[in-house]
Amino acid sequence: MADMNPKKTPMPSQAPDIRNRNFDEVALGYTYEMAVGEAKRCLGCKHKPCVSACPVGIDIPAFIERIANEDLHGAYEVLSHSTSLPAVCGRVCPQENQCEGKCVRGIKGESVGIGRLERFVADWHREHANEDPVLPAPNGHKVAVIGAGPSGLTCAGDLAKQGYSVTVFEALHVAGGVLSYGIPEFRLPKSIVAEEIEGLKKLGVSIECNTVIGKTLTVDDLFDMGYEALFIGSGAGLPRFMGIPGESLKGVYSANEYLTRINLMKAYKPNSSTPIKRSKKVAVVGGGNVAMDAARCAKRLGADEVYIVYRRGMEELPARREEVEHAQEEGIIFKLLCNPIEVLGDANGDVCGMRCVEMELGEPDASGRRRPVVKDGSEFVLEIDTMIMSIGTSPNPLIRNTTPGLETNRHGCIVVQNEDGLTSREGVYAGGDAVTGAATVILAMGAGKKAAAAIDEYLKSK
Amino acid sequence: MFEILEKKALNPTVIRMTIAAPRVAQKAEPGQFVILRAGDESERLPLTIADFDREKGTVTIIYQIVGAGTMELHSLNVGQCLHDFVGPLGVATHTEGLKKVCVVGGGVGCAIAYPVAKKLQSQGAEVHSIIGFRNSELVILEDEFRQISSELKLMTDDGSRGEKGLVTAALESLIQNGHNYDEVIAIGPLVMMKFVCQVTKKYGIKTMVSMNPIMIDGTGMCGGCRLTVDGETKFACVDGPDFDGHLVDFDEAIARSSMYREQEQHAREASCNLFSKEA
Ligand SMILES: Cc1cc2nc3c(=O)[nH]c(=O)nc-3n(C[C@H](O)[C@H](O)[C@H](O)COP(=O)(O)OP(=O)(O)OC[C@H]3O[C@@H](n4cnc5c(N)ncnc54)[C@H](O)[C@@H]3O)c2cc1C
Ligand SMILES: Cc1cc2nc3c(=O)[nH]c(=O)nc-3n(C[C@H](O)[C@H](O)[C@H](O)COP(=O)(O)OP(=O)(O)OC[C@H]3O[C@@H](n4cnc5c(N)ncnc54)[C@H](O)[C@@H]3O)c2cc1C
Ligand code: FES
């Protein structure tokens, strides 16, 4: 009989007024007892609504049942059948819109803590198991993967498991994509990302950093080098600016620059050689996960006041609910229904304020969300010294500009023919943010997985 | 890895280093740059490709020791390896169709200008070069420029070598002497490029400048290197580093380049202590 407690087992976390001054992980993870207890809340539904809402189709009731029976090896096996990065997904997936959103327990109470359990199993496995994976016999085929983010790494891992010789080419000096340069340490410790990547290397995946495809090598060079198929998982890293006056003042950052300085270049460490502005009053413009991360980083670097400035309301914030709650607990101030129209600078060219207008929600637009419209005469100035723009990113043009015959759409996203990720070029597959525009880790992984299967089929039938 | 094959001081603070980097050498063109990291915890340093040898698989850089990052690079010697070395980044300088060009280099900017001047000369263009330095001690690449230039003006601020004066004065006198340039290429400190552009604008001569704002990734991912060119936001690392100097907002670029001055100063002092102790 399931445990009918309507509440999820709470996640042990660092207290808000302590954690907003350090970069250590916020959520500390379930204990063994908590995990087994939470697992017993699962009803083991026959129709498994949670599984249909998981982009990679993890057999959720099966892995949870094994936790309830204290068979953690078994639980890990179920997970690793469908996901190659469970420690990451357990931490960053928007579960409330996916598995947990469909959980039957959620109808009359809180859903089962599926993400927390996934994280628990992955962390437990990392600490307790260190058997090397059984390497498959090489099948003699070479595949290249462009970009070492979640989509590329997943595709590489799946292909390596089938015996392919896989090389991942990564532009930056470290692998991981957004997991390394974007999502901060306090939400996703870099040691976990590094270990997941080590796991792939043990499978035989080779990762060549410092290689920009489109510059160091082109897609056609890769074919000339003997790679028979390619997966492009180059993400959507090109930051958008708003195009308002004052954007070039000192103290205006794209969220990518701010987070890259802090995460990739380690500006959060006291002895780091990477400079970052020590701000007092910061406005982060945008309402997604990226905006929450930038705001929480600014707070941790010592800012007194940090605002999230978003043009719609609380309901419309696209960030994961947990991130919004964490940000609020940490003292981030939400200025909703508010939009900047100009950044103001002082005589030295440093940011000293932001001219904003208030908004109200009108009729729903094409996306179904209510369109914000400016309230007449609502202009006001918000005093700040730093502005971080987090209003979206789009795919980088380096690959599309150097790959003849690769079709892209007007947003610069690579066009794929079907779910498999086949592009307009034979043998070239793509997936993740490079195809969809900025989305989620799990969708990127799902795309990498499908493409790996399609590449396998393509090369076998060739 | 990226082994240092040669290291030679060109003047007390400007060093030439040749590095084994076959893939970068294979694709490099004048005007492009690399980003390197000396060690595992180092900053990403953008440096122009000063020369390359596709057969030997080597790339040469010329750096001026200005702060913590370049001091750390300078602490490495022949036989040691750089941790990271990525490139070639940026768009190569356009040299096609140019028949007569005046190349203006200021300080370490001469290192960036030289490969472009050399390429122009090898394509049969007539190259005039104006190279400027603060004093005779700091002069670099004089012989190299002399070999490829049909006219060379060496300028120093204090007159301790060549002619006394600024590169802009030399440029203006060449133009007034009736030289019709298809293009002027100016590479050096922001202020120098700004004033060169003011001169050439007066005479209606197209002028390309090489913009070196603060960069991180060098692939268009952070936007930290953004500039305003003809009223539009451009990323120097992927759209440049070369831009039409008459369209660049230099005052903005000058203001942005001082963003981290204080923190750089601290880092520089810390490294001075560190590396002078080691020496
Ligand atoms: C700050 C931040 C927070 C986020 N938070 C969450 C979250 O909580 N939950 C969630 O699900 N999602 C989150 N996301 C979104 C998620 O991280 C992305 O959707 C996901 O990483 C996309 O994976 P990808 O493999 O397509 O691309 P990326 O992770 O972007 O990786 C692409 C890789 O390709 C490399 N590359 C690019 N161009 C080239 C080239 N020409 N040659 C070689 N390499 C190249 C890049 O350097 C990069 O390493 C967040 C994103 C950001 C920026
Ligand atoms: C495309 C490009 C090509 C360049 N080519 C050369 C070259 O061939 N030779 C050469 O000597 N220098 C070159 N530079 C400049 C060189 O990158 C900087 O001098 C170096 O990064 C300074 O680092 P530092 O830590 O030693 O000094 P710091 O004390 O950190 O800085 C000194 C000054 O260098 C500039 N600077 C600092 N960090 C960066 C950065 N990440 N990117 C760009 N500029 C920075 C700033 O204006 C600063 O005021 C180039 C820069 C760019 C962007
Ligand atoms: S250096 Fe990051 S976008 Fe140019």
Side-chain angles (χ1 to χ4, degrees), chain A residues 88-89 91-94 98 145-153 169-184 187 208 211-215 217 231-237 255-256 259 263 288-291 293-294 320 323 390 393 396-399 431-445, chain B residues 219 221:
Chain A
V88 174
C89 293
R91 286 172 166 81
V92 305
C93 267
Q98 298 175 172
V145 169
I146 303 172
S151 67
L153 293 175
F169 295 95
E170 166 58 46
L172 292 172
H173 58 264
V174 290
V178 168
L179 309 181
S180 292
Y181 78 72
I183 304 181
R187 211 146 69 74
E208 293 198 24
T211 314
V212 184
I213 304 303
K215 288 286 172 189
L217 296 168
F231 175 77
I232 306 179
S234 52
N256 266 12
L259 291 169
N263 300 315
N289 287 321
V290 187
D293 284 344
R320 288 177 76 210
E323 307 314 325
S390 178
T393 52
N396 192 303
L398 288 176
I399 294 176
D433 286 4
V435 168
T436 56
T440 61
V441 171
I442 193 77
L443 286 173
M445 286 180 49
Chain B
T219 63
M221 187 262 274

Side-chain angles (χ1 to χ4, degrees), chain A residues 157-400:
Chain A
D158 275 22
L159 286 167
K161 283 183 200 155
Q162 316 248 25
Y164 288 91
S165 150
V166 187
T167 308
V168 182
F169 295 95
E170 166 58 46
L172 292 172
H173 58 264
V174 290
V178 168
L179 309 181
S180 292
Y181 78 72
I183 304 181
E185 181 73 19
F186 57 80
R187 211 146 69 74
L188 180 61
K190 297 312 143 211
S191 58
I192 288 174
V193 181
E195 280 192 61
E196 302 264 15
I197 290 165
E198 269 321 298
L200 286 175
K201 287 188 184 159
K202 281 193 190 146
L203 275 175
V205 173
S206 136
I207 301 184
E208 293 198 24
C209 289
N210 297 313
T211 314
V212 184
I213 304 303
K215 288 286 172 189
T216 319
L217 296 168
T218 62
V219 161
D220 290 298
D221 290 337
L222 293 174
F223 281 114
D224 291 345
M225 288 159 72
Y227 294 100
E228 297 157 80
L230 253 53
F231 175 77
I232 306 179
S234 52
L238 189 82
R240 227 171 276 150
F241 288 88
M242 296 183 78
I244 58 176
E247 276 179 358
S248 293
L249 290 164
K250 286 183 281 177
V252 181
Y253 288 97
S254 73
N256 266 12
E257 179 183 359
Y258 197 70
L259 291 169
T260 300
R261 283 182 180 274
I262 292 171
N263 300 315
L264 182 73
M265 305 310 295
K266 309 271 180 259
Y268 72 89
K269 293 189 178 170
N271 56 352
S272 163
S273 50
T274 303
I276 185 111
K277 186 160 176 177
R278 298 292 160 166
S279 318
K280 296 246 173 322
K281 294 186 177 184
V282 181
V284 180
V285 181
N289 287 321
V290 187
M292 299 305 141
D293 284 344
R296 296 170 70 194
C297 282
K299 189 81 188 174
R300 281 166 172 73
L301 287 176
D304 301 326
E305 283 169 33
V306 181
Y307 301 96
I308 287 278
V309 176
Y310 181 58
R311 63 198 181 115
R312 301 180 203 247
M314 206 66 190
E315 290 297 299
E316 287 81 12
L317 280 171
R320 288 177 76 210
R321 200 187 307 136
E322 185 180 85
E323 307 314 325
V324 175
E325 285 165 8
H326 279 160
Q328 284 176 316
E329 288 165 11
E330 288 168 16
I332 308 296
I333 307 159
F334 283 69
K335 282 226 170 274
L336 302 167
L337 292 166
C338 175
N339 204 31
I341 52 171
E342 184 183 0
V343 198
L344 307 171
D346 63 15
N348 289 325
D350 289 302
V351 172
C352 64
M354 193 166 89
R355 196 185 302 284
C356 302
V357 285
E358 289 175 24
M359 313 292 283
E360 52 198 354
L361 291 181
E363 294 299 306
D365 63 11
S367 73
R369 291 185 301 178
R370 291 174 65 195
R371 186 200 310 272
V373 284
V374 179
K375 256 198 229 170
D376 282 339
S378 64
E379 243 181 73
F380 70 101
V381 170
L382 186 65
E383 206 183 289
I384 51 166
D385 58 23
T386 303
M387 178 194 190
I388 300 170
M389 255 185 249
S390 178
I391 52 163
T393 52
S394 51
N396 192 303
L398 288 176
I399 294 176
R400 66 171 186 264

Side-chain angles (χ1 to χ4, degrees), chain B residues 215-218 220-223 225 235 237:
Chain B
M215 291 186 179
I216 307 180
D217 57 298
M221 187 262 274
C222 74
C225 65
F235 290 2
C237 67

